[in-house]
Coordinates of all heavy atoms in Angstrom, one line a residue:
M1470 N 110.9 391.2 45.4 CA 111.0 389.8 45.9 C 109.6 389.4 46.4 O 108.9 390.1 47.1 CB 111.9 389.9 47.2 CG 112.0 388.6 47.9 SD 112.8 388.6 49.5 CE 114.4 389.3 49.1
P1471 N 109.2 388.2 46.0 CA 107.9 387.7 46.3 C 107.9 387.3 47.9 O 108.9 387.0 48.4 CB 107.7 386.4 45.5 CG 109.1 386.0 45.2 CD 109.9 387.3 45.1
N1472 N 106.7 387.3 48.4 CA 106.6 387.0 49.8 C 106.7 385.4 50.0 O 107.2 384.9 50.9 CB 105.3 387.4 50.4 CG 105.2 387.2 51.9 OD1 106.1 387.5 52.6 ND2 104.1 386.7 52.3
L1473 N 106.2 384.7 48.9 CA 106.1 383.2 49.0 C 106.7 382.6 47.8 O 106.6 383.0 46.7 CB 104.6 382.8 49.0 CG 104.2 381.4 49.1 CD1 104.6 380.8 50.4 CD2 102.7 381.2 48.8
S1474 N 107.5 381.5 48.1 CA 108.0 380.6 47.0 C 107.4 379.3 47.1 O 107.3 378.7 48.2 CB 109.6 380.5 47.2 OG 110.2 381.7 47.0
V1475 N 106.8 378.9 46.0 CA 106.1 377.5 45.9 C 107.1 376.6 45.1 O 107.2 376.9 43.9 CB 104.7 377.6 45.3 CG1 104.1 376.3 45.3 CG2 103.9 378.6 46.0
I1476 N 107.6 375.6 45.7 CA 108.5 374.6 45.1 C 107.7 373.4 44.7 O 107.0 372.9 45.6 CB 109.7 374.4 46.0 CG1 110.4 375.6 46.4 CG2 110.6 373.3 45.3 CD1 111.4 375.4 47.5
V1477 N 107.8 373.0 43.5 CA 107.1 371.8 43.0 C 108.2 370.9 42.3 O 108.6 371.1 41.2 CB 106.1 372.2 41.9 CG1 105.4 370.8 41.5 CG2 105.0 373.1 42.5
P1478 N 108.7 369.9 43.1 CA 109.6 368.9 42.5 C 108.7 368.0 41.6 O 107.6 367.6 41.9 CB 110.1 368.1 43.7 CG 109.7 368.9 44.9 CD 108.5 369.7 44.6
A1479 N 109.3 367.6 40.5 CA 108.5 366.7 39.5 C 109.4 365.8 38.8 O 110.5 366.1 38.4 CB 107.9 367.7 38.5
Y1480 N 108.9 364.5 38.8 CA 109.6 363.5 38.0 C 108.6 362.7 37.3 O 107.7 362.1 37.9 CB 110.5 362.6 38.9 CG 111.0 361.4 38.2 CD1 112.1 361.6 37.3 CD2 110.5 360.1 38.4 CE1 112.6 360.5 36.6 CE2 111.1 359.1 37.7 CZ 112.1 359.3 36.8 OH 112.6 358.2 36.1
N1481 N 108.7 362.7 36.0 CA 107.7 362.0 35.1 C 106.2 362.2 35.6 O 105.5 361.3 35.8 CB 108.0 360.6 35.1 CG 109.3 360.3 34.2 OD1 109.7 361.2 33.4 ND2 109.9 359.2 34.4
S1482 N 105.9 363.5 35.7 CA 104.6 363.8 36.3 C 103.7 364.4 35.2 O 102.7 365.1 35.6 CB 104.8 365.0 37.4 OG 105.6 364.5 38.4
G1483 N 103.9 364.1 34.0 CA 103.2 364.7 32.8 C 101.7 364.5 32.9 O 101.0 365.4 32.6
K1484 N 101.2 363.4 33.5 CA 99.8 363.2 33.5 C 99.1 364.0 34.7 O 97.9 364.2 34.6 CB 99.4 361.7 33.6 CG 99.8 361.1 34.9 CD 99.4 359.6 34.9 CE 99.8 359.0 36.2 NZ 98.9 358.1 36.8
D1485 N 99.9 364.5 35.7 CA 99.3 365.1 36.8 C 99.7 366.6 37.0 O 99.0 367.3 37.6 CB 99.7 364.4 38.1 CG 99.2 363.0 38.2 OD1 98.0 362.8 37.9 OD2 99.9 362.0 38.5
I1486 N 100.9 366.9 36.5 CA 101.4 368.2 36.9 C 100.7 369.4 36.4 O 100.6 370.4 37.1 CB 102.9 368.3 36.5 CG1 103.6 369.5 37.2 CG2 103.0 368.4 34.9 CD1 105.0 369.6 37.0
E1487 N 100.0 369.3 35.2 CA 99.3 370.5 34.7 C 98.1 370.8 35.7 O 97.9 372.0 35.9 CB 98.8 370.3 33.3 CG 98.2 371.5 32.7 CD 98.3 371.6 31.2 OE1 98.3 370.5 30.6 OE2 98.4 372.7 30.7
K1488 N 97.4 369.8 36.1 CA 96.3 370.1 37.1 C 96.9 370.8 38.4 O 96.3 371.8 38.9 CB 95.7 368.8 37.5 CG 94.5 369.0 38.5 CD 93.9 367.6 38.7 CE 92.7 367.7 39.7 NZ 92.1 366.4 40.0
C1489 N 98.0 370.3 38.9 CA 98.6 370.9 40.0 C 99.0 372.4 39.7 O 98.7 373.2 40.5 CB 99.9 370.1 40.4 SG 101.0 370.9 41.6
L1490 N 99.7 372.6 38.7 CA 100.1 374.0 38.4 C 99.0 374.9 38.1 O 99.0 376.1 38.4 CB 101.1 374.0 37.2 CG 102.4 373.1 37.4 CD1 103.2 373.1 36.2 CD2 103.2 373.6 38.7
K1491 N 97.9 374.5 37.4 CA 96.8 375.3 37.2 C 96.1 375.6 38.5 O 95.6 376.8 38.7 CB 95.8 374.5 36.3 CG 96.0 374.6 34.8 CD 95.0 373.9 34.1 CE 95.2 373.9 32.6 NZ 94.1 373.2 31.8
S1492 N 96.1 374.7 39.4 CA 95.5 375.0 40.8 C 96.3 376.0 41.5 O 95.8 376.9 42.1 CB 95.6 373.7 41.6 OG 95.1 373.9 42.9
I1493 N 97.6 376.0 41.4 CA 98.4 377.0 42.1 C 98.2 378.3 41.4 O 98.0 379.3 42.1 CB 99.9 376.6 42.1 CG1 100.2 375.3 42.9 CG2 100.8 377.7 42.5 CD1 101.5 374.6 42.7
R1494 N 98.3 378.4 40.1 CA 98.1 379.6 39.4 C 96.8 380.3 39.5 O 96.6 381.5 39.4 CB 98.5 379.5 37.9 CG 100.0 379.3 37.7 CD 100.7 380.6 37.9 NE 102.0 380.4 37.5 CZ 103.0 381.2 37.9 NH1 102.8 382.1 38.8 NH2 104.2 381.1 37.5
S1495 N 95.7 379.4 39.9 CA 94.4 380.0 40.0 C 94.2 380.6 41.4 O 93.0 381.1 41.6 CB 93.3 378.9 39.7 OG 93.3 378.0 40.7
S1496 N 95.1 380.5 42.3 CA 95.0 381.0 43.6 C 94.7 382.6 43.6 O 95.3 383.3 42.7 CB 96.3 380.8 44.4 OG 96.2 381.5 45.6
T1497 N 94.0 383.1 44.5 CA 93.7 384.5 44.6 C 94.9 385.2 45.2 O 95.0 386.4 45.0 CB 92.5 384.8 45.4 OG1 92.7 384.3 46.7 CG2 91.2 384.3 44.8
Y1498 N 95.8 384.5 45.9 CA 97.0 385.1 46.4 C 98.0 385.1 45.3 O 98.3 384.2 44.6 CB 97.6 384.2 47.6 CG 98.8 384.8 48.2 CD1 98.6 385.8 49.2 CD2 100.1 384.4 48.0 CE1 99.7 386.4 49.8 CE2 101.1 385.0 48.6 CZ 100.9 386.0 49.5 OH 102.0 386.5 50.2
K1499 N 98.6 386.3 45.1 CA 99.5 386.5 43.8 C 100.9 386.9 44.2 O 101.7 387.0 43.2 CB 98.9 387.6 42.9 CG 97.5 387.2 42.4 CD 97.5 386.0 41.5 CE 96.2 385.6 41.0 NZ 96.1 384.2 40.4
D1500 N 101.2 387.1 45.4 CA 102.6 387.5 45.8 C 103.5 386.3 46.0 O 104.0 386.0 47.1 CB 102.6 388.4 47.0 CG 103.9 389.0 47.3 OD1 104.8 389.0 46.4 OD2 104.1 389.5 48.5
Y1501 N 103.6 385.5 44.9 CA 104.5 384.3 45.0 C 105.2 384.1 43.7 O 104.9 384.7 42.7 CB 103.5 383.1 45.3 CG 102.7 382.7 44.2 CD1 103.1 381.7 43.3 CD2 101.4 383.3 44.0 CE1 102.3 381.3 42.2 CE2 100.6 382.9 43.0 CZ 101.1 381.9 42.1 OH 100.2 381.5 41.1
E1502 N 106.2 383.3 43.8 CA 106.9 382.7 42.6 C 106.8 381.2 42.6 O 106.6 380.6 43.7 CB 108.4 383.1 42.7 CG 109.2 382.4 43.7 CD 110.7 382.7 43.8 OE1 111.2 383.2 42.8 OE2 111.4 382.4 44.8
L1503 N 106.7 380.7 41.4 CA 106.5 379.2 41.3 C 107.8 378.7 40.7 O 108.3 379.0 39.6 CB 105.4 379.0 40.3 CG 105.1 377.5 40.0 CD1 104.8 376.7 41.3 CD2 103.9 377.4 39.0
V1504 N 108.5 377.8 41.6 CA 109.8 377.2 41.3 C 109.5 375.8 41.0 O 109.1 375.0 42.0 CB 110.8 377.4 42.4 CG1 112.0 376.7 42.1 CG2 110.9 378.9 42.7
I1505 N 109.7 375.3 39.8 CA 109.5 373.9 39.5 C 110.9 373.3 39.3 O 111.7 373.8 38.5 CB 108.7 373.7 38.2 CG1 107.3 374.5 38.4 CG2 108.5 372.3 37.9 CD1 106.4 374.5 37.1
V1506 N 111.1 372.1 39.9 CA 112.3 371.4 39.8 C 112.1 370.1 39.1 O 111.4 369.2 39.7 CB 113.0 371.1 41.2 CG1 114.3 370.4 41.1 CG2 113.1 372.3 42.0
D1507 N 112.5 370.0 37.9 CA 112.4 368.8 37.0 C 113.5 367.9 37.3 O 114.7 368.2 37.1 CB 112.3 369.1 35.6 CG 112.2 367.9 34.7 OD1 111.3 367.0 35.0 OD2 113.0 367.8 33.8
C1508 N 113.2 366.7 37.8 CA 114.2 365.7 38.1 C 114.6 364.8 37.1 O 114.3 363.6 37.2 CB 113.8 365.0 39.4 SG 113.5 366.1 40.8
N1509 N 115.0 365.3 35.9 CA 115.4 364.4 34.8 C 114.2 363.6 34.2 O 114.4 362.4 33.8 CB 116.5 363.5 35.1 CG 117.4 363.0 34.0 OD1 117.4 363.7 32.9 ND2 118.0 361.9 34.1
S1510 N 113.1 364.2 34.1 CA 111.9 363.5 33.6 C 112.1 363.1 32.2 O 112.8 363.7 31.4 CB 110.7 364.5 33.6 OG 110.3 364.7 34.9
Q1511 N 111.4 362.0 31.9 CA 111.5 361.4 30.5 C 110.2 361.5 29.8 O 110.0 360.9 28.6 CB 111.9 359.9 30.6 CG 113.2 359.7 31.3 CD 114.4 360.4 30.7 OE1 114.7 360.2 29.5 NE2 115.2 361.1 31.5
D1512 N 109.3 362.2 30.3 CA 108.0 362.4 29.6 C 107.8 364.0 29.3 O 108.8 364.6 29.2 CB 106.9 361.9 30.4 CG 106.7 362.5 31.8 OD1 107.5 363.5 32.0 OD2 105.7 362.2 32.5
E1513 N 106.6 364.4 29.2 CA 106.3 365.8 28.9 C 106.3 366.7 30.1 O 106.0 368.0 29.9 CB 105.0 365.9 28.1 CG 103.8 365.6 28.9 CD 103.4 364.1 29.0 OE1 104.2 363.2 28.5 OE2 102.4 363.8 29.6
T1514 N 106.8 366.3 31.2 CA 106.8 367.2 32.4 C 107.5 368.5 32.2 O 106.9 369.5 32.5 CB 107.5 366.4 33.6 OG1 106.7 365.3 33.9 CG2 107.5 367.3 34.8
R1515 N 108.7 368.5 31.6 CA 109.5 369.7 31.4 C 108.7 370.7 30.5 O 108.7 371.8 30.7 CB 110.8 369.4 30.8 CG 111.7 370.6 30.8 CD 113.2 370.2 30.4 NE 113.8 369.2 31.3 CZ 114.1 368.0 30.9 NH1 114.1 367.7 29.6 NH2 114.6 367.1 31.7
L1516 N 108.1 370.2 29.5 CA 107.4 371.0 28.5 C 106.2 371.7 29.1 O 106.0 372.9 28.9 CB 106.9 370.2 27.3 CG 107.9 369.6 26.4 CD1 107.3 368.7 25.4 CD2 108.7 370.7 25.7
I1517 N 105.5 370.9 30.0 CA 104.3 371.6 30.7 C 104.9 372.6 31.7 O 104.3 373.7 31.9 CB 103.5 370.5 31.4 CG1 102.9 369.5 30.3 CG2 102.4 371.0 32.3 CD1 102.3 368.3 30.8
A1518 N 105.9 372.2 32.4 CA 106.5 373.1 33.5 C 106.9 374.4 32.9 O 106.8 375.5 33.5 CB 107.6 372.4 34.2
N1519 N 107.5 374.4 31.7 CA 107.9 375.6 31.1 C 106.9 376.7 30.9 O 107.1 377.8 30.9 CB 108.6 375.3 29.7 CG 110.0 375.0 29.7 OD1 110.7 375.7 30.6 ND2 110.5 374.1 29.0
R1520 N 105.6 376.2 30.8 CA 104.5 377.1 30.5 C 104.1 377.8 31.8 O 103.4 378.8 31.8 CB 103.3 376.3 29.9 CG 103.6 375.8 28.5 CD 102.3 375.4 27.8 NE 101.5 374.5 28.5 CZ 101.3 373.2 28.3 NH1 102.0 372.6 27.3 NH2 100.4 372.5 29.1
Y1521 N 104.4 377.2 32.9 CA 103.9 377.8 34.2 C 105.0 378.4 35.2 O 104.7 379.2 36.0 CB 103.2 376.7 35.0 CG 101.9 376.2 34.4 CD1 101.9 375.2 33.4 CD2 100.7 376.8 34.7 CE1 100.7 374.8 32.8 CE2 99.5 376.4 34.1 CZ 99.6 375.4 33.2 OH 98.4 375.0 32.5
A1522 N 106.2 377.9 35.0 CA 107.2 378.2 36.0 C 107.7 379.6 35.9 O 107.9 380.2 34.8 CB 108.4 377.2 35.8
D1523 N 108.0 380.3 37.1 CA 108.7 381.5 37.1 C 110.2 381.1 37.0 O 111.0 381.9 36.4 CB 108.4 382.3 38.4 CG 107.0 382.7 38.5 OD1 106.5 383.3 37.4 OD2 106.3 382.6 39.5
K1524 N 110.6 380.0 37.6 CA 111.9 379.5 37.6 C 111.8 378.0 37.4 O 111.1 377.3 38.1 CB 112.7 379.7 38.9 CG 112.9 381.2 39.2 CD 113.6 381.4 40.5 CE 113.8 382.8 40.8 NZ 114.4 383.0 42.2
L1525 N 112.6 377.5 36.4 CA 112.6 376.1 36.1 C 114.0 375.6 36.3 O 115.0 376.1 35.7 CB 112.1 375.7 34.7 CG 112.1 374.3 34.3 CD1 111.2 373.4 35.2 CD2 111.7 374.1 32.9
I1526 N 114.1 374.6 37.2 CA 115.5 374.0 37.5 C 115.4 372.6 37.0 O 114.5 371.8 37.2 CB 115.7 374.0 39.1 CG1 115.7 375.4 39.6 CG2 117.1 373.3 39.3 CD1 115.5 375.5 41.0
E1527 N 116.5 372.2 36.3 CA 116.6 370.9 35.8 C 117.7 370.1 36.4 O 118.9 370.6 36.4 CB 116.9 370.9 34.2 CG 115.7 371.6 33.5 CD 115.9 371.6 32.0 OE1 116.7 370.8 31.5 OE2 115.2 372.5 31.3
L1528 N 117.4 369.1 37.1 CA 118.4 368.2 37.8 C 118.7 367.0 37.0 O 117.8 366.5 36.4 CB 117.9 367.8 39.2 CG 117.7 368.8 40.3 CD1 117.2 368.2 41.5 CD2 119.0 369.6 40.5
R1529 N 119.9 366.7 36.9 CA 120.3 365.4 36.2 C 120.7 364.4 37.2 O 120.8 364.6 38.3 CB 121.6 365.8 35.3 CG 121.3 366.8 34.2 CD 120.4 366.3 33.2 NE 120.1 367.4 32.3 CZ 118.9 367.5 31.7 NH1 117.9 366.7 32.0 NH2 118.7 368.5 30.9
G1530 N 120.6 363.1 36.7 CA 120.9 362.0 37.6 C 119.7 361.4 38.1 O 118.5 361.8 37.7
K1531 N 119.8 360.6 39.0 CA 118.7 359.9 39.7 C 117.8 360.9 40.5 O 118.3 361.7 41.2 CB 119.1 358.8 40.7 CG 119.8 357.6 40.0 CD 120.1 356.6 41.0 CE 120.6 355.3 40.3 NZ 121.0 354.3 41.3
P1532 N 116.5 360.8 40.3 CA 115.6 361.8 41.1 C 115.6 361.4 42.5 O 115.5 360.3 42.9 CB 114.3 361.5 40.4 CG 114.3 360.1 39.8 CD 115.8 359.9 39.5
K1533 N 115.8 362.4 43.3 CA 115.7 362.3 44.8 C 114.9 363.5 45.3 O 115.3 364.6 45.1 CB 117.1 362.2 45.4 CG 117.9 361.0 45.0 CD 119.1 360.8 45.9 CE 119.9 359.7 45.4 NZ 120.0 358.6 45.8
S1534 N 113.9 363.2 46.0 CA 113.0 364.3 46.5 C 113.8 365.3 47.4 O 113.6 366.5 47.2 CB 111.9 363.6 47.3 OG 111.0 364.6 47.8
I1535 N 114.7 364.8 48.2 CA 115.3 365.8 49.1 C 116.2 366.7 48.3 O 116.4 367.9 48.6 CB 116.1 365.0 50.2 CG1 116.5 366.0 51.4 CG2 117.2 364.3 49.7 CD1 115.4 366.5 52.1
R1536 N 116.9 366.2 47.3 CA 117.8 367.0 46.5 C 117.0 368.0 45.7 O 117.4 369.1 45.5 CB 118.6 366.1 45.6 CG 119.6 366.8 44.7 CD 120.4 365.8 43.9 NE 121.1 366.5 42.8 CZ 121.1 366.1 41.6 NH1 120.6 365.0 41.3 NH2 121.7 366.8 40.7
A1537 N 115.9 367.6 45.2 CA 114.9 368.5 44.4 C 114.5 369.6 45.3 O 114.5 370.8 44.9 CB 113.8 367.7 43.8
R1538 N 114.0 369.3 46.5 CA 113.5 370.3 47.4 C 114.6 371.3 47.7 O 114.4 372.5 47.8 CB 112.9 369.7 48.6 CG 111.6 368.9 48.2 CD 111.1 368.2 49.5 NE 110.0 367.2 49.1 CZ 108.8 367.4 48.8 NH1 108.4 368.7 48.5 NH2 108.0 366.5 48.4
G1539 N 115.8 370.7 48.0 CA 116.9 371.6 48.4 C 117.3 372.6 47.3 O 117.6 373.7 47.5
S1540 N 117.4 372.1 46.0 CA 117.6 372.9 44.9 C 116.6 374.0 44.7 O 116.9 375.1 44.4 CB 117.7 372.0 43.6 OG 118.8 371.1 43.7
G1541 N 115.4 373.6 44.9 CA 114.2 374.6 44.9 C 114.4 375.7 46.0 O 114.2 376.8 45.7
V1542 N 114.8 375.3 47.1 CA 115.0 376.3 48.2 C 116.2 377.3 47.9 O 116.1 378.4 48.0 CB 115.3 375.5 49.6 CG1 115.8 376.5 50.6 CG2 114.1 374.9 50.1
E1543 N 117.2 376.7 47.3 CA 118.4 377.5 46.9 C 118.0 378.5 45.9 O 118.5 379.7 45.8 CB 119.5 376.6 46.3 CG 120.2 375.9 47.5 CD 121.3 374.9 46.9 OE1 121.6 375.0 45.7 OE2 121.7 374.1 47.7
A1544 N 117.1 378.2 44.9 CA 116.7 379.1 43.9 C 115.6 380.0 44.2 O 115.4 381.0 43.5 CB 116.2 378.2 42.6
S1545 N 115.0 379.8 45.4 CA 113.8 380.6 45.8 C 114.3 382.0 46.4 O 115.4 382.0 46.9 CB 113.0 379.8 47.0 OG 112.5 378.7 46.5
S1546 N 113.4 382.9 46.2 CA 113.7 384.3 46.8 C 112.6 384.8 47.7 O 112.7 385.9 48.2 CB 113.9 385.2 45.7 OG 112.8 385.3 44.8
G1547 N 111.6 383.9 48.0 CA 110.5 384.3 48.8 C 110.9 384.3 50.4 O 111.8 383.6 50.7
N1548 N 110.2 385.1 51.1 CA 110.3 385.1 52.6 C 109.9 383.7 53.2 O 110.3 383.3 54.2 CB 109.5 386.2 53.2 CG 110.1 387.6 52.7 OD1 111.3 387.8 52.7 ND2 109.2 388.5 52.4
I1549 N 108.8 383.2 52.7 CA 108.2 381.9 53.1 C 108.4 380.9 51.9 O 108.1 381.2 50.8 CB 106.7 382.1 53.4 CG1 106.6 383.2 54.5 CG2 106.1 380.8 53.9 CD1 105.2 383.6 54.7
I1550 N 108.8 379.7 52.3 CA 108.9 378.6 51.2 C 108.1 377.5 51.6 O 108.1 377.0 52.7 CB 110.4 378.2 51.2 CG1 111.2 379.4 50.8 CG2 110.6 377.1 50.2 CD1 112.8 379.2 50.9
I1551 N 107.3 377.0 50.5 CA 106.5 375.8 50.8 C 106.8 374.9 49.6 O 107.2 375.2 48.5 CB 104.9 376.1 50.8 CG1 104.4 376.7 49.5 CG2 104.6 377.0 52.0 CD1 102.9 376.8 49.5
N1552 N 106.6 373.6 49.9 CA 106.7 372.5 48.9 C 105.3 371.9 48.5 O 104.5 371.8 49.4 CB 107.6 371.4 49.4 CG 109.1 371.8 49.5 OD1 109.7 371.9 48.4 ND2 109.5 372.1 50.6
V1553 N 105.1 371.7 47.3 CA 103.8 371.0 46.8 C 104.2 369.9 45.9 O 105.0 370.0 45.0 CB 103.0 372.1 46.0 CG1 101.7 371.4 45.4 CG2 102.6 373.3 46.9
D1554 N 103.6 368.8 46.2 CA 103.8 367.5 45.3 C 103.1 367.8 44.0 O 102.0 368.4 43.9 CB 103.3 366.3 46.0 CG 104.1 365.8 47.2 OD1 105.3 366.2 47.2 OD2 103.5 365.2 48.1
S1555 N 103.8 367.4 42.9 CA 103.3 367.5 41.6 C 102.0 366.7 41.3 O 101.4 366.9 40.3 CB 104.3 367.3 40.5 OG 104.8 366.0 40.6
D1556 N 101.7 365.7 42.1 CA 100.6 364.8 41.8 C 99.4 365.1 42.7 O 98.6 364.2 42.9 CB 101.0 363.4 42.0 CG 101.5 363.0 43.3 OD1 101.6 363.9 44.2 OD2 101.8 361.8 43.6
I1557 N 99.2 366.3 43.1 CA 98.0 366.6 43.9 C 96.8 366.8 43.1 O 96.8 367.2 41.9 CB 98.2 367.8 44.9 CG1 98.4 369.1 44.0 CG2 99.3 367.6 45.9 CD1 98.3 370.3 44.8

């Protein structure tokens, strides 16, 4: 079980998400899982997310940040849970 779960909700974030995910993966802290919640994106977000995610959750319907974060929390197994916006 990882100590930390990093949840990244994403909706049509194709132009920004790779930079975000590379930044997370380049961290020197390695005891974490990366949970990406794709909120029915219509661009390349899901394809990019597949390359980085430890867990990829796909939500259907209208994207809602609170629903995405909640789904990420449910799928997480870390002792500590944080959320990161995909457009950082």
